[in-house]
Amino acid sequence: MKTLLFGTNNPNKLGEIREMLGDRFQILSPADLGLDFEVDETEDSFHGNALLKARAYASAAGMPCFADDSGLETDALDGAPGVYSARYAGPGCSYADNVEKLLREMQGKTRRGARFQAVIAYIEGEEFRFFQGTVEGQITEAPRGSNGFGYDPVFQPDGYDRTFAEMGPEVKHSFSHRGKAIRALVEYLTASHA
Ligand code: ITT
């Protein structure tokens, strides 16, 4: 079984990736390798920040590594919170703070279209590659559900009457931004290591 490092400090992302890949790849976390650092996300794109994180962890660990930069874009707020999704309500904020701020900013807006984006940067040796996933939906008027993390309680994907937080993890992963990006990575790894 191939071993990959997932360069993240977000336990929810780690849990999702292990749910998706656990039976096919051994997924190590930074903590498993005794790595404990934050990467400054100084780029203004998901691609740029995913690569920054993947490079930092790959060079610290010297093994194949991937990182995920992801977030929520809304039409009515010109793409916000976007790359600032994790810290939308300020440094050290909680998921609940972010959701509260988003609903406040969206109050009275009739355009509620939004999308989750995930960009995975994968590094092996000198080579890097990107894999991407998007899921379109709507921002609800109030939070619903308790599964998942982050903005899941206020994101209702198109074609569903439930938010991500009202779905089981298998259903979310089957068409989520992260599920799509990860399946593209797996396809690449499977093809290039056949
Ligand atoms: P790492 O950089 O250590 O991986 P992070 O949480 O800081 O962790 P990002 O900078 O990529 O990661 O920010 C992603 C944020 O976008 C995340 O904290 C959530 O607020 C939101 N997000 C991403 N994917 C999500 C999902 O599947 N469901 C709900 N919210 C999500």
Side-chain angles (χ1 to χ4, degrees), residues 6-10 13 16 38 41 46 53 57 68-72 82-83 85-87 95 98 116-117 148-153 164 172 176-178:
F6 179 26
T8 184
N9 283 318
N10 182 321
K13 285 187 186 176
E16 287 202 348
E38 285 282 337
E41 299 189 22
F46 295 117
K53 290 187 269 192
Y57 284 103
D68 160 309
D69 201 60
S70 47
L72 181 69
V83 294
S85 292
R87 48 204 147 120
Y95 290 143
N98 283 337
F116 270 123
Q117 302 268 19
F149 69 101
Y151 299 91
D152 282 347
F164 266 168
K172 177 184 173 187
S176 75
H177 49 313
R178 186 163 298 104

Side-chain angles (χ1 to χ4, degrees), residues 58-122:
S59 72
M63 63 180 292
C65 170
F66 65 97
D68 160 309
D69 201 60
S70 47
L72 181 69
E73 296 176 342
T74 60
D75 295 334
L77 304 176
D78 295 327
V83 294
Y84 304 107
S85 292
R87 48 204 147 120
Y88 189 41
C93 63
S94 67
Y95 290 143
D97 296 333
N98 283 337
V99 164
E100 202 177 299
K101 175 166 180 186
L102 180 67
L103 290 180
R104 205 166 52 241
E105 300 285 334
M106 290 289 295
Q107 210 161 23
K109 308 267 189 216
T110 48
R111 280 170 71 213
R112 304 201 66 95
R115 69 210 50 79
F116 270 123
Q117 302 268 19
V119 173
I120 287 177
Y122 173 74

